[in-house]
Amino acid sequence: MKIGLFIPCYIDAFYPEAGIATLELLEKLGQDVEYPLDQTCCGQPMGNSGCNSDAAAAEALFVRNFARFDKIVMPSGSCTHHVRDNFDAIPQTDEVRHVRENTFELVEFLHDILKVEAFPWAEFNHTVGLHNSCGTLRALRTASMSELGEKPFSKPMDLLKKVKGIRFVTPKRPDECCGFGGTFSVTEEAISARMGVDKVRDHHDAGAEYIVSADSSCMMHQQGCAERAGVPIRFIHIAQILNGAAQ
Amino acid sequence: MSNRPVNHARAAEHFLEDAPHLKFHDERLWDMRQKRDAQMHMLPEWQELREEASRIKEHTLAQLPEYLEQFEENAKKNGIHVHWARDGAEHNRIVGDILKAHGARSLIKSKSMVTEECDMRPYLEKQGVTVTETDLGERIQQLDDQLPSHIVVPAVHKLTSDVAKIFAKDYHTDPNIRDPHLLAEAQRQAARPVILHADAGMTGGNFVVAETGTFVVCTNEGNADLSATVPNLHIATIGIERLVPRMADLGVFIRLLSRSALGSPITQYTTHFRGPQDGGEMHVVLVDNGRSHRLGMDDFWTSLKCIRCGACMNTCPVYRRSGGLSYGAVYSGPIGAIIDPTFNERKYSTLPFASTLNGSCTNVCPVKIDIHEQLYKWRRVLVQHREIPFVKREIMYMAGKLMGQPKMYRAALRATETSLESLPRFALYNWLNPWGKHRELPHPIKQTFHDWYKKNRATPAATAPESGK
């Protein structure tokens, strides 16, 4: 199985350590991974803004980069959601369908495809609050949603529980959106920032030292809010913990 | 009516500045959401009920003309006068004419979103009819000359102290009252004489049953029952989408409505209106006002399934922090953001963007309207119809171009790394500046992932073929 690694633009530019951890983790798990150098973006910002036709060039490039892989893995729920569910600015050829059907968010790839049993190298002696992005929670369904009253499950939690030393706390409103929302964070900046502050306070009040998430975009926003509001809490991508971050 | 796009972001910013109101609003509505969850957990068949409710509504909407005619026929047999209103103006004219024919000068009414849609009160008042809202929250909003900010709890954005001030002005009560019961009593004392002497009463209707020609009104205060039965003339204004085919279908909706809305198993009053009372007259005005147009919209017709429970508002993190009035429309919150543009695309063009697309609304909706998917689709429609700001459109166009050209994209990134160390150039356009108003920027990095990979892993094979589909 040849894996193509997609690193979203904001991880590439702001959180390279999350990208490196994703790659190293997949390599530790014995996977054959390659990062095509000509990648840029999945097209999500344009799609979410309603400017879907403007996503065509990014989507076409994405397919050009990744069509030759068996599976495409990315450390981002919202990008995976875009590719899987909204990637329609370009004609839906067999190649495009192949790419869309074989794109996975990292957690679901580890949990559902590789079915990883253990991360013997991983130890994290901290108390963490898990932030499920709305993309992973309600679009990719990697955890149960509080609105539906379904039987509780959580793929990211299943993975994190295999890490030595880690402790968990649950905020009061675990499924509440943190307010990032892509361009929403700019067009509705006041509400967005308020949601972000409420979110980081909720985790902090629950006793979390770290917020851990499969989505760096949410954390980029939350970190900005926490730093401005003076909420002492740190942020880490789930790939970094599973890869054995010692912080 | 002005066509200027509603500035939701600015209104929301204003709402956020008032900490006590914000806290109360957010917590009150979140409490309703949690009570709703508790009710859901008590019914193992919750998801089946939602599925069934959705199925019944879709079935009914697909055969709306037939069911409407069936209702009309059966309602007439029950002695109900049935009227058809194409739009708000026609609705108001019909109601005005009925009142005139009876020489009615005072109208008491229960909450009805349709009458808000039709802007009925000012019309009737110009005709010399005194209109009195009897629902407590709606009365508060009437006295304060504001639209309802929530479809179930219309004055939820107000604190007790706000209500005390309003009542002091109109009812001459103490402006320092902080006991809600005293305020409710003041309203009762003020409303009862009006109710007892009213010439006509008006209600909305939650459900209309085609096979029986009857309709159902669900309330908690009992004021609708007073409005409907104290005067001899009862006018019910109802949207044409409120139909269900059979009496047997009602149980599904009655079980879902109040549980979704307030988190109570059922409303205090569920009244079936089967015809005029002895010596009285009953009129039903069936209002279209854009509904049949919406029914023809492939992507948006299922919004007509809405039973107006407000669950999507209660769960919406944006609504809870911006208040219903920030939407500048009769319908606010997530459901408002998908139906308001059908009334006026330009004016409400901003509302589908007042969402993070988190999807919680869709999950709580008792009739399974895919609200956040429709928000996403509305954005596409509004862009196609050129209803979004030019600057935003341009930025997306430029970003889209840049994202399709890896070499130019890398060059743009590198230029910013050396000069500014933090942000890609496209992120520096003014339009993106608000990021920093309440938030710090991401920290500068030493090396992008891309450069790290090239240095530590890459082989020439990692580059995509130059041409290829």
Side-chain angles (χ1 to χ4, degrees):
Chain A
M1 179 168 62
K2 183 85 180 155
I3 298 173
L5 176 64
F6 175 72
I7 297 298
C9 44
Y10 52 88
I11 291 188
D12 176 51
F14 302 130
Y15 300 100
E17 64 279 8
I20 294 167
T22 303
L23 175 65
E24 287 180 352
L25 177 59
L26 290 169
E27 287 172 346
K28 274 182 196 158
L29 292 165
Q31 299 304 305
D32 179 10
V33 189
E34 186 188 317
Y35 167 85
L37 284 167
D38 274 355
Q39 59 182 277
T40 57
C41 162
C42 65
Q44 185 195 187
M46 286 69 85
N48 271 8
S49 307
C51 304
N52 201 50
S53 59
D54 293 330
E59 291 181 2
L61 177 67
F62 188 93
V63 173
R64 217 151 62 228
N65 279 318
F66 290 103
R68 64 195 166 92
F69 294 99
D70 300 312
K71 303 281 179 208
I72 300 130
V73 178
M74 50 183 81
S76 162
S78 63
C79 300
T80 305
H81 171 46
H82 180 76
V83 174
R84 192 176 293 169
D85 302 319
N86 291 319
F87 198 84
D88 61 358
I90 50 175
Q92 301 295 297
T93 61
D94 288 347
E95 233 177 8
V96 173
R97 268 195 295 276
H98 167 79
V99 164
R100 294 183 64 176
E101 284 162 14
N102 289 287
T103 291
F104 294 88
E105 182 270 328
L106 177 65
V107 167
E108 49 176 23
F109 185 73
L110 298 174
H111 188 279
D112 300 347
I113 307 295
L114 296 185
K115 299 183 172 37
V116 181
E117 294 288 344
F119 302 90
W121 49 79
E123 181 170 353
F124 198 70
N125 293 304
H126 294 284
T127 303
V128 304
L130 173 66
H131 171 71
N132 287 317
S133 71
C134 300
T136 55
L137 181 69
R138 298 197 187 84
L140 304 183
R141 308 288 325 267
T142 61
S144 51
M145 303 181 277
S146 59
E147 299 94 354
L148 295 185
E150 55 195 343
K151 204 165 155 246
F153 70 94
S154 172
K155 296 176 187 177
M157 208 49 127
D158 285 352
L159 300 179
L160 286 168
K161 279 182 179 158
K162 301 182 199 302
V163 173
K164 264 196 296 293
I166 196 165
R167 299 175 302 275
F168 303 99
V169 289
T170 310
K172 283 199 185 109
R173 302 182 187 183
D175 286 358
E176 176 112 318
C177 173
C178 73
F180 173 62
T183 54
F184 176 87
S185 65
V186 174
T187 54
E188 292 265 359
E189 78 69 36
I191 291 280
S192 171
R194 176 69 200 205
M195 286 166 69
V197 170
D198 288 349
K199 174 55 81 176
V200 296
R201 286 217 173 101
D202 197 5
H203 278 275
H204 179 257
D205 292 348
E209 295 167 70
Y210 278 90
I211 290 177
V212 55
S213 178
D215 277 75
S216 293
S217 53
C218 297
M219 289 196 291
M220 169 171 75
H221 158 72
Q222 291 175 27
Q223 183 176 28
C225 294
E227 287 178 2
R228 179 65 63 87
V231 180
I233 196 159
R234 286 184 282 179
F235 297 85
I236 190 164
H237 194 280
I238 191 168
Q240 291 169 266
I241 295 184
L242 299 178
N243 186 45
Q247 297 177 44
Chain B
M1 186 169 41
S2 156
N3 263 349
R4 262 173 81 96
V6 173
N7 193 334
H8 177 268
R10 187 180 299 159
E13 199 174 346
H14 186 67
F15 188 82
L16 288 170
E17 283 163 6
D18 185 338
H21 280 85
L22 170 65
K23 187 174 186 303
F24 173 80
H25 191 259
D26 172 58
E27 286 176 359
R28 171 81 211 283
L29 295 169
W30 181 250
D31 183 55
M32 284 161 68
R33 156 75 207 276
Q34 287 193 300
K35 290 195 168 105
R36 171 232 171 247
D37 286 4
Q39 288 295 330
M40 165 185 71
H41 288 299
M42 280 189 252
L43 295 187
E45 68 273 37
W46 185 258
Q47 298 307 333
E48 286 162 59
L49 280 174
R50 288 177 75 218
E51 191 56 50
E52 186 67 0
S54 170
R55 199 189 57 73
I56 294 167
K57 279 285 182 181
E58 287 187 11
H59 164 87
T60 313
L61 289 167
Q63 289 153 83
L64 197 54
E66 289 81 3
Y67 282 124
L68 281 169
E69 281 172 6
Q70 195 190 345
F71 168 76
E72 181 185 37
E73 195 188 324
N74 291 326
K76 281 180 174 165
K77 282 186 205 150
N78 295 333
I80 302 173
H81 300 269
V82 179
H83 309 261
W84 300 86
R86 188 181 306 275
D87 54 23
E90 191 171 6
H91 164 266
N92 295 346
R93 211 158 48 236
I94 291 168
V95 173
D97 288 350
I98 298 170
L99 294 176
K100 204 178 288 168
H102 287 78
R105 311 286 292 172
S106 66
L107 175 72
I108 51 169
K109 66 182 286 288
S110 70
K111 217 170 82 55
S112 149
M113 293 307 294
V114 180
T115 58
E116 299 286 347
E117 237 180 78
C118 299
D119 208 13
M120 182 193 75
R121 269 197 323 251
Y123 175 89
L124 291 183
E125 276 158 9
K126 252 183 245 154
Q127 313 255 311
V129 178
T130 308
V131 182
T132 308
E133 297 287 346
T134 58
D135 173 89
L136 176 58
E138 196 68 28
R139 178 62 177 165
I140 293 166
Q141 290 308 94
Q142 182 187 15
L143 293 176
D144 204 22
D145 197 21
Q146 280 182 339
L147 281 172
S149 80
H150 186 290
I151 56 181
V152 174
V153 278
V156 69
H157 60 297
K158 286 185 164 77
L159 298 173
T160 312
S161 53
D162 302 324
V163 179
K165 260 183 239 157
I166 293 163
F167 280 9
K169 203 167 71 197
D170 287 278
Y171 297 156
H172 311 294
T173 46
D174 180 355
N176 299 311
I177 293 177
R178 291 297 177 266
D179 180 352
H181 297 101
L182 286 178
L183 290 169
E185 189 54 32
Q187 157 69 7
R188 197 171 288 122
Q189 292 306 327
R192 283 292 152 95
V194 179
I195 291 171
L196 290 174
H197 297 106
D199 300 323
M202 175 176 254
T203 65
N206 294 81
F207 303 100
V208 174
V209 185
E211 71 170 0
T212 53
T214 60
F215 60 97
V216 178
V217 179
C218 305
T219 64
N220 283 303
E221 296 173 15
N223 61 302
D225 299 272
L226 289 173
S227 300
T229 54
V230 175
N232 259 339
L233 174 61
H234 175 196
I235 306 169
T237 282
I238 307 175
I240 54 170
E241 83 285 16
R242 292 316 187 95
L243 270 173
V244 295
R246 306 165 306 167
M247 191 59 93
D249 301 323
L250 264 180
V252 175
F253 295 96
I254 298 293
R255 296 186 76 199
L256 286 166
L257 180 63
S258 194
R259 287 186 169 92
S260 298
L262 298 167
S264 65
I266 193 165
T267 45
Q268 300 290 328
Y269 300 87
T270 301
T271 307
H272 293 248
F273 290 100
R274 306 170 58 88
Q277 51 192 348
D278 287 345
E281 233 178 81
M282 182 181 280
H283 295 257
V284 168
V285 188
L286 293 164
V287 183
D288 185 320
N289 203 29
R291 285 162 175 76
S292 41
H293 168 66
R294 206 181 306 151
L295 191 55
M297 299 173 92
D298 273 349
D299 287 336
F300 306 116
W301 69 275
T302 57
S303 63
L304 288 163
K305 291 191 287 183
C306 177
I307 58 170
R308 305 284 190 266
C309 71
C312 61
M313 304 161 119
N314 303 345
T315 200
C316 178
V318 176
Y319 174 87
R320 267 189 270 111
R321 290 172 181 83
S322 57
L325 299 179
S326 66
Y327 293 77
V330 169
Y331 298 101
S332 55
I335 186 67
I338 60 171
I339 62 180
D340 293 329
T342 67
F343 291 108
N344 186 334
E345 229 173 67
R346 174 149 305 162
K347 184 169 184 185
Y348 303 119
S349 58
T350 48
L351 300 185
F353 294 91
S355 162
T356 59
L357 303 178
N358 64 75
S360 186
C361 46
T362 300
N363 279 350
V364 297
C365 178
V367 289
K368 299 189 86 165
I369 302 171
D370 54 343
I371 302 175
H372 76 298
E373 308 276 354
Q374 293 193 30
L375 289 167
Y376 187 88
K377 287 174 185 162
W378 263 116
R379 293 180 180 190
R380 286 191 182 187
V381 169
L382 292 164
V383 168
Q384 279 159 12
H385 295 180
R386 305 189 174 280
E387 297 291 3
I388 73 159
F390 174 78
V391 182
K392 186 174 181 180
R393 188 76 190 74
E394 272 305 285
I395 287 196
M396 286 304 151
Y397 175 75
M398 288 189 291
K401 282 264 180 223
L402 190 63
M403 295 305 193
Q405 300 174 65
K407 286 193 176 63
M408 203 202 288
Y409 172 75
R410 283 292 145 199
L413 260 185
R414 225 163 271 129
T416 56
E417 269 165 41
T418 48
S419 59
L420 291 150
E421 291 187 296
S422 64
L423 276 173
R425 177 175 289 167
F426 68 83
L428 285 172
Y429 284 94
N430 286 339
W431 185 73
L432 287 175
N433 278 350
W435 175 274
K437 212 169 157 191
H438 293 97
R439 263 175 306 224
E440 297 301 324
L441 292 167
H443 304 177
I445 57 159
K446 289 195 191 77
Q447 197 176 33
T448 62
F449 175 84
H450 183 270
D451 289 350
W452 177 92
Y453 188 87
K454 257 167 88 173
K455 201 169 153 194
N456 293 280
R457 294 286 195 284
T459 57
T463 313
E466 276 306 315
S467 62
K469 281 185 274 178

